[in-house]
Amino acid sequence: MRMIVQRDYDQMSLWAGRYVARSIYMAEPKQNSPFVLGLPTGSTPLGMYRVLIDLCRKGTISFQNVITFNMDEYVGLPIDHPESYRRFMEDHFFNHIDIPKENINFLDGNAGDLKEECMRYEEAIGSFEGIDLFVGGIGNDGHIAFNEPGSSLSSRTRIKTLAEETRAANSRFFGEEISQVPTYALTVGVGTVMDAREVLILASGLNKARALKHVVEEGINHMWTVSAMQLHSRATILCDEDATDELKVGTVKYFKQMEQRNLDPDSLLPPEARS
């Protein structure tokens, strides 16, 4: 597992956006062999999405042959609700890039049979022979997607009851009213993410420092589900300085030394687009 530390949120977002763009570019996706990208919601990836939108508008990267799968969706929110994850992705990303609508995959939190919906989603991912790059975030309690503490590390897409800490953290999007935050969500499993050929985890801010310490410096633990990434052959944690606040000085120093040649975001652009 790699850990790449950037100076601040903006630099982290720039690195992430350019890395995703370069991954798509280097894969040379075509209609019959698309690049399959797993995507998160939340405040952390917003900067990355802005970078990708800018690169798409400049013609540096195209999403014409990219298939996307989002990580999760609330159960019971109308699809046009301002805080549904479908609406979030459309407002902040999909409506601003050249991706065909039919290439976008969401979980349906209003499906008549939620268990069947989760099975459908897993089968849809499998129909593309898996996900090439899954981008995710870290919850304050170390969860990935909605795989709350205690989730099986081999779990697949399913319905989950949200922890009170998660609902409290997300209440900022619901006018600080935790009662307005749904109690259930559909989410890809830890095992679903682990099956991706590559995983990029984003962590920003002091409120993620405790989780990052458990994920990086301690053992694999189902109470900190992102820690499963220690077992992935191509997992990278990308964070800013604030998120490393509880890590040992030696740990941060070690990872910085290991990545000195990989920290320039400009080097992550497709060759002809570099300044």
Side-chain angles (χ1 to χ4, degrees):
M1 185 176 71
R2 300 167 64 192
M3 184 176 77
I4 295 174
V5 183
Q6 294 287 277
R7 181 180 66 250
D8 53 29
Y9 175 77
D10 289 340
Q11 283 297 110
M12 184 196 78
S13 299
L14 181 64
W15 199 102
R18 289 183 169 183
Y19 187 81
V20 172
R22 186 175 186 274
S23 297
I24 296 169
Y25 176 88
M26 297 300 289
E28 299 181 347
K30 300 176 178 59
Q31 188 172 6
N32 61 350
S33 58
F35 187 88
V36 185
L37 181 63
L39 294 172
T41 53
S43 56
T44 302
L46 284 174
M48 177 189 74
Y49 290 143
R50 288 191 289 268
V51 171
L52 286 169
I53 290 167
D54 183 59
L55 292 174
C56 184
R57 287 175 173 170
K58 290 177 178 177
T60 301
I61 193 67
S62 172
F63 292 87
Q64 282 289 326
N65 294 314
V66 174
I67 304 291
T68 65
F69 285 90
N70 260 75
M71 277 191 155
D72 39 34
E73 180 58 277
Y74 288 118
V75 169
L77 281 189
I79 61 174
D80 60 349
H81 189 284
E83 299 308 328
S84 78
Y85 287 159
R86 179 189 295 259
R87 175 75 178 273
F88 176 97
M89 292 301 299
E90 290 172 345
D91 289 350
H92 294 289
F93 191 44
F94 293 137
N95 289 345
H96 308 284
I97 59 174
D98 63 346
I99 188 169
K101 296 296 184 183
E102 61 270 20
N103 287 13
I104 302 169
N105 292 275
F106 292 107
L107 281 157
D108 182 1
N110 294 290
D113 186 330
L114 294 176
K115 184 177 180 180
E116 180 65 29
E117 171 62 10
C118 293
M119 293 173 61
R120 179 199 67 80
Y121 209 64
E122 284 281 339
E123 290 171 0
I125 292 172
S127 72
F128 291 102
E129 299 184 354
I131 290 174
D132 293 303
L133 173 62
F134 222 136
V135 183
I138 296 180
N140 293 1
D141 56 7
H143 71 254
I144 183 170
F146 275 131
N147 293 286
E148 304 284 36
S151 295
S152 167
L153 300 184
S154 62
S155 56
R156 314 304 301 188
T157 303
R158 66 211 188 285
I159 185 171
K160 282 291 292 181
T161 303
L162 301 184
E164 286 303 294
E165 184 174 351
T166 298
R167 295 181 69 226
N170 289 357
S171 66
R172 68 188 188 277
F173 302 116
F174 291 82
E176 302 296 338
E177 292 287 340
I178 191 171
S179 63
Q180 298 301 308
V181 183
T183 304
Y184 302 100
L186 301 184
T187 181
V188 297
V190 180
T192 312
V193 178
M194 288 290 289
D195 281 351
R197 282 174 274 282
E198 184 175 4
V199 181
L200 176 65
I201 301 296
L202 310 179
S204 173
L206 290 170
N207 61 327
K208 302 299 174 69
R210 177 168 169 259
L212 195 62
K213 173 181 174 58
H214 281 275
V215 168
V216 174
E217 291 185 336
E218 300 186 9
I220 298 163
N221 190 324
H222 68 296
M223 298 304 292
W224 303 86
T225 55
V226 185
S227 65
M229 297 306 119
Q230 294 179 31
L231 293 174
H232 199 288
S233 61
R234 294 188 65 195
T236 299
I237 291 180
L238 174 63
C239 61
D240 57 18
E241 291 280 359
D242 283 347
T244 70
D245 199 55
E246 293 197 23
L247 293 174
K248 297 174 183 176
V249 173
T251 299
V252 177
K253 182 178 180 181
Y254 168 78
F255 280 108
K256 284 184 175 180
Q257 288 175 340
M258 292 296 290
E259 298 296 339
Q260 282 179 349
R261 291 177 295 177
N262 300 312
L263 293 179
D264 180 13
D266 196 51
S267 68
L268 300 171
L269 283 171
E272 70 274 15
R274 296 175 189 170
S275 58

